[in-house]
Amino acid sequence: MRLTVFGATGGIGQEIVRQAVAAGHEVTAVVRDPARLSVPLFGPTVHTVARVDDPEALREAVAGRDAALSGLGSRGRKAGGVAERLTRAVLAAMEAEGTRRLLVVSAAPVAPKPADDPLIDRMMLGAIGAILKEVYADLTAMEAALAASATDWTSVRPPKLTNGPLTGSYRTVIGSNPRSGRSISRADVAHAMLALVDDPAALKQGVGVAY
């Protein structure tokens, strides 16, 4: 497949690029600073943009692609609307070019809570949600932008992210979160996103992913 990866220098983005190249996909990595992309440059095509929130600068990167995958988002507690703003720019570029498939990284607390989640898990999510309230509000707004778009989107919602290895062994739940799912490695989130690219059940859905 011909894939475009946004946020390609981030933890999940680099894993998407690495795994996609290894799987033989044709990959375009969208970056502001190519020096931050640790994946060997002979693997992906590197599309450098001065501003990732400029739809015109992104159109060339998404033109004629089978899918786009995004690891864009806040890197701290103060989101400043970054996930919504950058995702809207990606959506505008994709809609202008007629590219339909988009997968993004969101977060588990944005999803509906499983009715059978143990009390301790509900309390943990509540505490984390209070600490990262601004981040999750930004992700909620991002998902609203996805829902209003013409794209065939999927929002992948991991819980706590780790730097653990790729295992390929995790749970996914469409429309909710895996019960008592507390963590997952960035490598496995990337693996899940690539696996969901051509899954029709995931179209226009949030997908919880966790160990």
Side-chain angles (χ1 to χ4, degrees):
M1 285 187 289
R2 296 165 297 174
L3 305 176
T4 295
V5 181
F6 294 97
T9 59
I12 293 175
Q14 292 202 46
E15 282 292 340
I16 295 172
V17 172
R18 183 178 295 109
Q19 293 178 37
V21 169
H25 298 299
E26 178 186 308
V27 179
T28 295
V30 181
V31 300
R32 283 184 293 184
D33 180 7
R36 294 183 57 200
L37 186 64
S38 65
V39 180
L41 297 185
F42 61 81
T45 298
V46 178
H47 183 78
T48 305
V49 294
R51 290 181 54 190
V52 184
D53 59 352
D54 179 359
E56 289 300 316
L58 303 180
R59 288 183 60 170
E60 181 182 346
V62 300
R65 311 306 283 176
D66 296 308
L69 299 93
S70 173
L72 296 169
S74 172
R75 295 186 178 181
R77 294 184 182 181
K78 298 297 182 181
V82 65
E84 179 192 11
R85 184 177 73 252
L86 298 182
T87 301
R88 284 189 181 277
V90 171
L91 288 169
M94 292 180 66
E95 291 177 0
E97 294 296 333
T99 303
R100 294 193 57 85
R101 189 72 176 107
L102 173 64
L103 297 94
V104 305
V105 178
S106 184
V110 177
K113 309 302 182 289
D116 61 346
D117 244 9
L119 177 60
I120 183 64
D121 293 302
R122 295 200 301 271
M123 291 175 63
M124 287 174 60
L125 276 179
I128 294 169
I131 295 171
L132 300 177
K133 181 179 180 180
E134 186 176 324
V135 173
Y136 296 141
D138 182 28
L139 293 175
T140 299
M142 176 193 73
E143 292 206 11
L146 292 173
S149 76
T151 60
D152 292 328
W153 57 272
T154 298
S155 177
V156 178
R157 299 163 172 163
K160 179 182 177 181
L161 294 169
T162 75
N163 290 323
L166 171 64
T167 69
S169 180
Y170 46 81
R171 296 173 291 155
T172 59
V173 177
I174 294 176
S176 187
N177 293 324
R179 187 176 190 270
S180 297
R182 298 179 181 177
S183 69
I184 189 169
S185 71
R186 291 173 175 84
D188 276 330
V189 173
H191 185 273
M193 293 178 72
L194 288 166
L196 290 166
V197 167
D198 56 2
D199 184 349
L203 296 182
K204 300 184 184 296
Q205 296 285 342
V207 179
V209 55
Y211 294 135

